[in-house]
Amino acid sequence: NAGVMQNPRHLVRRRGQEARLRCSPMKGHSHVYWYRQLPEEGLKFMVYLQKENIIDESGMPKERFSAEFPKEGPSILRIQQVVRGDSAAYFCASSPLAAVSYNEQFFGPGTRLTVL
Amino acid sequence: TQLLEQSPQFLSIQEGENLTVYCNSSSVFSSLQWYRQEPGEGPVLLVTVVTGGEVKKLKRLTFQFGDARKDSSLHITAAQTGDTGLYLCADSYGNKLVFGAGTILRVKS
C-alpha cells in the first residue's frame, strides 16, 4: 500500500511566478491536510480538505494561496505570485474516513519550495 | 490557543546512551501523537496515546502519557545512530494537528 505521494520533491521559482504542489493521499484515505514547515516556526496547519470540499482553511494565508481536492486526481496547493517568504517545506498528510477521534495523519515526503 | 512545549530543544549523545525527551501542553490533550522526522523527509507517526497514565512501547522506545493528560515523555534506551532526527509531539485540535517545535536528537557513533 503506497504512502502519501507528493510531487515535485523540490521546486524552484522566481519571485512573481506560480507554484503548484501536488499530493496523492494514501489509498482509501479521503481526508487531506496541508502543512508548512519553516525553520523558525515549526510545522503549521494550513488547510483541510475532503473530496471537492474545503473543510477548514483557517491556517491558509488570505491572499495568493488556494487549495483544491477534486473528485478525480490529486490535491493541489497553489501559490500565486510567490515571494521569498514562501520558501519552505510543504507537507501533505492524509487520514482515513472517520479518523476524527484520534485524527491520526500520515505524511508525505514534502515539497521543498525555494523562491529566488 | 494551545501551546506545546518540547524539551530539550537539542540533544547530542553517544550511541548506547539512554535519553528522555518531553512534551508539555498548556491544556489537556485530546490525543497525543509522537512523530519522528528525518532530514529531507516528512514526519513519520510513531505512536498515539489517548488515556491518562498510558504507557506504550515500540522496541527501544517507551512513551508515557501523564495522568492529567497534559504531558508526555519519550524514552529511548541504548540509542542508535538511526534514531537521529527531529522528534515532534502533536495534539489533535479540531480537524488539525498542533505541533510542538520538536527536539533535535543527534546520536553519534
Side-chain angles (χ1 to χ4, degrees):
Chain A
N1 188 16
V4 177
M5 298 173 67
Q6 291 188 248
N7 68 80
R9 292 292 305 272
H10 300 274
L11 183 61
V12 179
R13 287 287 179 264
R14 296 191 180 279
R15 281 179 295 170
Q17 291 184 319
E18 179 180 285
R20 282 189 178 229
L21 288 62
R22 295 174 183 78
C23 168
S24 296
M26 288 179 69
K27 188 176 180 181
H29 287 193
S30 57
H31 301 238
V32 166
Y33 312 79
W34 286 93
Y35 292 81
R36 178 165 64 177
Q37 189 171 39
L38 291 162
E40 66 276 13
E41 292 185 10
L43 204 58
K44 301 288 187 188
F45 168 81
M46 299 181 73
V47 62
Y48 161 47
L49 310 101
Q50 296 178 19
K51 284 285 186 181
E52 300 185 277
N53 287 301
I54 297 174
I55 307 301
D56 181 354
E57 56 182 350
S58 59
M60 193 95 97
K62 295 289 184 255
E63 297 179 350
R64 301 187 298 107
F65 285 72
S66 62
E68 62 177 9
F69 189 16
K71 187 176 180 181
E72 301 291 337
S75 175
I76 306 287
L77 179 66
R78 182 182 176 203
I79 311 172
Q80 294 178 291
Q81 299 175 338
V82 296
V83 300
R84 287 201 174 132
D86 296 332
S87 295
Y90 291 83
F91 292 97
C92 170
S94 71
S95 65
L97 189 65
V100 175
S101 57
Y102 295 163
N103 202 13
E104 291 184 335
Q105 298 180 15
F106 299 87
F107 284 77
T111 293
R112 271 100 190 136
L113 173 65
T114 301
V115 179
L116 302 177
Chain B
T1 303
Q2 182 184 31
L3 293 175
L4 300 187
E5 291 190 4
Q6 291 191 244
S7 61
Q9 287 184 303
F10 182 78
L11 189 57
S12 180
I13 62 171
Q14 290 294 135
E15 198 170 24
E17 292 183 357
N18 302 331
L19 68 113
T20 303
V21 298
Y22 301 90
C23 175
N24 294 285
S25 174
S26 57
S27 56
V28 174
F29 284 101
S30 300
S31 63
L32 171 65
Q33 298 171 24
W34 282 97
Y35 289 83
R36 179 172 67 212
Q37 184 179 18
E38 296 183 17
E41 297 297 330
V44 175
L45 179 65
L46 296 174
V47 77
T48 299
V49 288
V50 179
T51 306
E54 187 174 3
V55 177
K56 283 192 174 180
K57 292 192 175 183
L58 184 66
K59 297 183 180 177
R60 294 176 294 102
L61 278 60
T62 302
F63 303 86
Q64 288 192 299
F65 200 19
D67 291 339
R69 298 174 61 232
K70 294 183 70 175
D71 60 274
S72 180
S73 64
L74 160 57
H75 181 80
I76 302 179
T77 303
Q80 300 175 356
T81 55
D83 295 326
T84 291
L86 174 67
Y87 287 80
L88 295 161
C89 66
D91 190 16
S92 178
Y93 185 75
N95 300 311
K96 58 198 167 199
L97 294 178
V98 175
F99 285 87
T103 292
I104 297 172
L105 172 64
R106 181 186 173 199
V107 182
K108 297 176 287 186
S109 58

